Amino acid sequence: MLAWPGRSSRVSAVLVALLCMLLGVAIATQVRDTGSGDWLDSARPADLLVVLDNLHGKEAALRQEISGLEQSLQSMQSAGSDSREALAQSRQQLAALQVLVGVAPAEGPGVVVEVTDPRGGVDPSVLLDLLQELRAAGAEVIAFSGAGDGDDVRVGVDTAVTGTAGAVVVDGVPLRAPYTVKAIGDGPTMAAALNIPGGVQDTVRRASGDVTVTTEDLVRITAVRKPEAPQNAQPGD
């Protein structure tokens, strides 16, 4: 009854009509119980008052029942609306959390960073610094490109950047130069953070590489992380 807009109002109208019909039946029954119309013509005023009081009492009871049903319908409609809103909010929160933990694709404005390494001098610590600078600048979603199989590697809270200079490994996936890092967030802010003197760009250039930062209106990250159950942590109350 709550799934289709307008249906509750139709049900309410039907119930009201039904109760009004019952009211008419009650009145007719009361008149029939007292006898024929001739009896009413010859009845004493006191008897007529008793009949009228009975009819008024039944009418009041039926109207009270109608009012109660209408209030119940309104409560159900309100509860249904609140439930739908709560469900929609829960779904939105779930979708946002799935993006943040890396188990759902994401898209939005951001930057694409390319790190060249022609001499194999860029070691894992440089790319780790790049991740930290992006996160500090407000990056919400980050992924590495440059895997041998062409797939991206989604960065998570427990991402490990290991390997050696020229042979960087991210979460167990070997990458090869040029390394491309996609980040979703405020593009100008992240680009400015990566251009700070003494930062990642200077480090890469000292290793005979280079860093190019491109601000994009739409960055798509389709790579996702495989969720793993925690070994020790449990949801708190």
Side-chain angles (χ1 to χ4, degrees), residues 37-148:
D38 294 338
W39 182 89
L40 292 175
D41 292 337
S42 60
R44 295 177 303 169
D47 295 332
L48 292 175
L49 287 175
V50 171
V51 173
L52 186 60
D53 287 341
N54 289 338
L55 292 176
H56 284 167
K58 291 184 178 181
E59 179 184 7
L62 289 173
R63 290 189 181 278
Q64 184 175 3
E65 188 171 353
I66 291 173
S67 177
L69 288 172
E70 289 177 337
Q71 291 178 0
S72 297
L73 285 172
Q74 290 176 357
S75 298
M76 293 173 67
Q77 288 174 329
S78 176
S81 176
D82 292 343
S83 297
R84 287 192 296 271
E85 291 178 2
L87 180 59
Q89 291 177 357
S90 297
R91 286 175 174 169
Q92 291 176 354
Q93 292 174 354
L94 175 60
L97 289 174
Q98 287 175 330
V99 168
L100 292 177
V101 300
V103 297
E107 63 180 29
V111 295
V112 177
V113 183
E114 184 177 82
V115 179
T116 61
D117 185 21
R119 297 186 180 180
V122 176
D123 61 37
S125 65
V126 176
L127 295 183
L128 185 59
D129 288 342
L130 174 60
L131 288 183
Q132 292 174 342
E133 289 190 8
L134 287 171
R135 283 171 170 165
E140 298 171 355
V141 182
I142 305 174
F144 273 101
S145 295

Side-chain angles (χ1 to χ4, degrees), residues 13-37:
V14 171
L15 289 175
V16 170
L18 178 60
L19 289 173
C20 289
M21 182 181 69
L22 292 175
L23 175 61
V25 171
I27 293 173
T29 302
Q30 179 65 37
V31 172
R32 185 172 59 251
D33 289 343
T34 58
S36 65

